[in-house]
Structures are given as C-alpha cells and as structure tokens.
C-alpha cells in the first residue's frame, strides 16, 4: 500500500513506497479524461462532436451518458437519459481522440500528461478506462496539477469537475443506485451521494475516482487538498468500511494543522 496527501502545493504526508507501481483500474479514467481536456484545449476535438452511438457526443462519452453498457459498446439507453458507467465508452472515446491527434491514445496520454508532469513511472498498458499503472509519487504530481492547473486552463478544469447532465440517476459501482449519480467530464462528483467512498465531512465539490484494484484519488477543492491511495487488494467490503473514515481522518488532520 502507498498513500500520498497533497495540500498547499506540496506533498504533506505519505505512507509506503512512493515509487512502487500499482495497477490503477478505474482511476485510469482520471488520467484519460485529463488527456481529453488537453485535446479539447488544443482544438483537436470538441465536446459536442458526434462520437459513439447515434446522437452521442464526446461530452456524453466522457460523462457516462452515451448509453453504452458497462463492458461493451452495446446501446442500453438514448444519449443523455441515463448515467450508465461504461468502460466501453472510454475505449471508444480514446480511439476517437487518438485518431484526431494522429497517434495511439496511449502515446498521446504520455505526451500530453505524463511527460510534462514528470510522471515517469506511469503508462497506459491496456484499456483507456481501466488499464493504466502508476505510483503514488506520480499521482501526487497529477493531484497537484488538478489543484493548480498548468497543462490546461483553470476554467476548463472547473468545467470538468462540475456536474454535466444534471439530475441523471445511475449506479455507482460498489455503492449502489445514486439519485442523482452526478458526474463531471470524466471526474466523479461527490455532491450528496450516500453511501460514498470519500469522507462524510468532504465538501459536495469533492471529485475524483476509485478503482477495483483498491485505489482512489480524491480532491477537495474547498480545502485545496488531495489524497492518493494505492493497493493491490481488490475492492470489496474492506474498502467500503475503511476508505470513508480514513478520508475523514485525513481531512481532519489537515484542518488541525492549519488551525
């Protein structure tokens, strides 16, 4: 296990081997999404370009509203009507961005995000939705970027971490039906979800993602802090029981240091 806590522009706490590389599972979606933000800022793709099933756009795919099933590009709902969490949608999105940028998406992710941030131990080795690997030190660099963007504008990060297609219900894997199941442009938004993997004390604006390999990254912009936790223990009841009080403890410790 490796943990890194970021606040006030620096890593302020850590546990475990910060260089050990772990499979990220769905935390991969944060990295993929950020590469898409770069592509949008560069003008290579646009949010409202058609992509995926009929009637869907880049915006639908990245926010899990294109209507695709979880693990295959099979349409289960009309675009914009349901929040269906979909790895398949991210693979379709990554292929689209790769074609627009005239290179494999894994290469674009490396050149657009990993290399400029110095994330030297990070790579996309499989699906754009769940196939990256990284270490806590690298993800701490990524968390710093989310808190103080350099690769894209702060306005674009704010847009990506705000709810799109408001009011849509859907299942948050591992935590059941959420009404609504709010999401941004690739970033899961905490809002009033319950139960949830972040802390009960976290602000509704908290955003991030967790993965089935026992990983998570959250950012609470109201306290300008983030936390990365990486394990190789598959997500299960242990995570549901441990992550929320752990994250509450991290937040409380940060606030006590500032008092």
């Amino acid at each position: 296990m490796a943990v890194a806590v970021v606040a006030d522009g620096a890593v302020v706490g850590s546990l475990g081997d910060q260089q050990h590389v772990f499979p990220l599972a769905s935390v991969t979606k944060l990295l993929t999404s950020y590469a898409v933000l770069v592509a949008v800022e560069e003008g290579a793709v646009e949010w409202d370009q058609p992509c995926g099933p009929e009637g869907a756009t880049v915006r639908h795919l990245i926010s899990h509203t294109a209507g695709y099933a979880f693990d295959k590009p099979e349409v289960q709902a009309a675009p914009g009507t349901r929040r269906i969490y979909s790895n398949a949608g991210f693979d379709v999105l990554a292929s689209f961005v790769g074609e627009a940028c005239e290179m494999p998406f894994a290469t674009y992710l490396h050149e657009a995000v990993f290399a400029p941030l110095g994330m030297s131990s990070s790579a996309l080795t499989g699906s754009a939705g769940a196939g990256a690997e990284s270490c806590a030190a690298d993800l701490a660099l990524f968390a710093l970027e989310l808190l103080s963007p350099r690769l894209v504008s702060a306005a674009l990060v704010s847009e990506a971490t705000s709810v799109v297609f408001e009011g849509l219900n859907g299942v948050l894997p591992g935590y059941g039906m959420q009404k609504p199941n709010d999401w941004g442009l690739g970033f899961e938004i905490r809002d009033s979800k319950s139960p949830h993997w972040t802390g009960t004390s976290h602000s509704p604006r908290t955003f991030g993602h967790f993965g089935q390999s026992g990983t998570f990254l959250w950012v609470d912009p109201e306290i300008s802090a983030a936390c990365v936790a990486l394990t190789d223990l598959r997500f299960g009841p242990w995570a549901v029981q441990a992550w929320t009080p752990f994250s509450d403890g991290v937040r409380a410790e940060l606030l006590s240091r500032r008092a």
Side-chain angles (χ1 to χ4, degrees):
M1 179 178 182
V3 175
V5 178
V6 172
D8 305 317
V11 176
V12 297
S14 63
L15 174 71
D17 184 349
Q18 298 294 291
Q19 303 300 326
H20 183 78
V21 173
F22 292 87
L24 298 184
S26 284
V27 172
T28 298
K29 291 182 177 70
L30 298 181
L31 305 174
T32 292
S33 297
Y34 214 71
V36 176
L37 296 191
V38 175
V40 168
E41 190 118 302
E42 291 177 340
V45 299
E46 298 179 358
W47 291 124
D48 294 321
Q49 272 185 279
C51 185
E54 184 177 356
T57 64
V58 170
R59 192 188 307 273
H60 286 109
L61 283 169
I62 201 170
S63 62
H64 300 289
T65 59
Y68 277 143
F70 169 71
D71 58 354
K72 54 186 174 182
E74 177 183 283
V75 177
Q76 295 185 326
T81 62
R82 288 174 57 193
R83 189 88 62 188
I84 304 175
Y85 182 80
S86 177
N87 283 334
F90 262 69
D91 287 333
V92 171
L93 174 61
S95 295
F96 180 80
V97 173
E99 290 175 9
C101 297
E102 300 182 335
M103 66 182 74
F105 182 77
T107 303
Y108 184 73
L109 176 56
H110 175 80
E111 295 186 2
V113 180
F114 296 158
L117 293 182
M119 298 171 64
S120 58
S121 296
S122 301
L124 181 62
T125 59
S127 164
E133 56 184 28
S134 188
C135 63
D138 277 14
L139 288 182
L141 294 172
F142 181 63
L144 287 167
E145 167 69 15
L146 294 175
L147 286 164
S148 184
R150 295 183 294 114
L151 303 185
V152 298
S153 68
L156 185 55
V157 173
S158 178
E159 179 184 1
T161 56
S162 300
V163 180
V164 293
F165 301 107
E166 292 185 26
L168 295 184
N169 299 333
V171 174
L172 179 63
Y175 289 86
M177 177 62 71
Q178 303 288 332
K179 298 182 178 181
N181 189 19
D182 285 338
W183 226 276
L185 299 171
F187 297 81
E188 196 225 323
I189 313 298
R190 190 193 194 292
D191 269 358
S192 59
K193 292 173 183 171
S194 180
H196 198 255
W197 55 276
T198 61
T200 58
S201 60
H202 283 211
S203 74
R205 294 176 56 209
T206 300
F207 61 85
H209 220 291
F210 79 88
Q212 288 294 317
S213 56
T215 55
F216 70 73
L217 188 162
W218 56 253
V219 175
D220 189 340
E222 291 199 1
I223 59 171
S224 298
C227 181
V228 174
L230 303 178
T231 80
D232 52 13
L233 181 61
R234 186 169 178 79
F235 174 87
W238 70 270
V240 175
Q241 295 168 10
W243 283 353
T244 294
F246 173 79
S247 292
D248 278 332
V250 168
R251 188 179 189 278
E253 176 64 21
L254 286 171
L255 293 179
S256 69
R257 291 186 182 187
R258 294 172 179 174

